[in-house]
Amino acid sequence: MTVRTVVGRGVRLGALIGVWPAGIVGTLCLVAAFVFLVGGHDGSAWKLTAAGAFAVLGSMAVGVTLGTATGLALALAPRGLLTRPPLRGLLAALTAGLPVAALFVAALTGGGYTLASYPPSIHFLAWSATLTIALVAAARSGDIAGCGADL
């Protein structure tokens, strides 16, 4: 299988990873913008619409980047690693999960804040999203690499 094919499959996975948060955040922002627009707060409605568009584009960009990185890592991995599902899944999970974890830590610790500054609910959301992305990448690693269940 060519590197281009494996990376293309990774990009498709990344698009799926990015579309879920993009759809949720985009929908919430549009509903809130509509509520503000009906209430006569035009400025807030436009700010929410812009924030929603930025969140959707950012989520899709991060998802596609993660998928590309995962596909590239699996395309360049040795065949011996790809034939072992636990190792292949671990490679995919680390490739997709570590950048998301680093992104969350960087976003939460800016401006003099530390991770201890946030309530447990923020930590739960951040780390469960990271774990979900890593597990989805691990579960789909065989499909991306072109190694089916026959191995």
Side-chain angles (χ1 to χ4, degrees), residues 2-76:
T2 66
V3 172
R4 186 177 185 151
T5 304
V6 175
V7 171
R9 289 177 178 177
V11 169
R12 282 194 299 270
L13 172 71
L16 289 174
I17 287 173
V19 78
W20 282 97
I24 293 168
V25 172
T27 302
L28 289 175
C29 284
L30 282 178
V31 168
F34 180 74
V35 169
F36 277 109
L37 191 62
V38 169
H41 302 286
D42 295 346
S44 297
W46 287 114
K47 287 179 184 177
L48 272 171
T49 303
F54 180 72
V56 166
L57 291 175
S59 175
M60 290 303 296
V62 168
V64 169
T65 302
L66 288 175
T68 302
T70 303
L72 190 60
L74 290 172
L76 298 177

Side-chain angles (χ1 to χ4, degrees), residues 41-148:
H41 302 286
D42 295 346
S44 297
W46 287 114
K47 287 179 184 177
L48 272 171
T49 303
F54 180 72
V56 166
L57 291 175
S59 175
M60 290 303 296
V62 168
V64 169
T65 302
L66 288 175
T68 302
T70 303
L72 190 60
L74 290 172
L76 298 177
R79 184 74 180 153
L81 183 116
L82 294 178
T83 57
R84 296 187 176 113
L87 294 177
R88 182 184 65 227
L90 182 63
L91 175 65
L94 289 175
T95 304
L98 283 179
V100 175
L103 185 65
F104 276 130
V105 170
L108 293 177
T109 57
Y113 290 100
T114 64
L115 290 177
S117 303
Y118 295 95
S121 60
I122 296 297
H123 291 284
F124 176 76
L125 289 174
W127 302 119
S128 63
T130 302
L131 184 61
T132 301
I133 289 169
L135 290 175
V136 166
R140 302 289 298 195
S141 65
D143 296 333
I144 295 170
C147 302

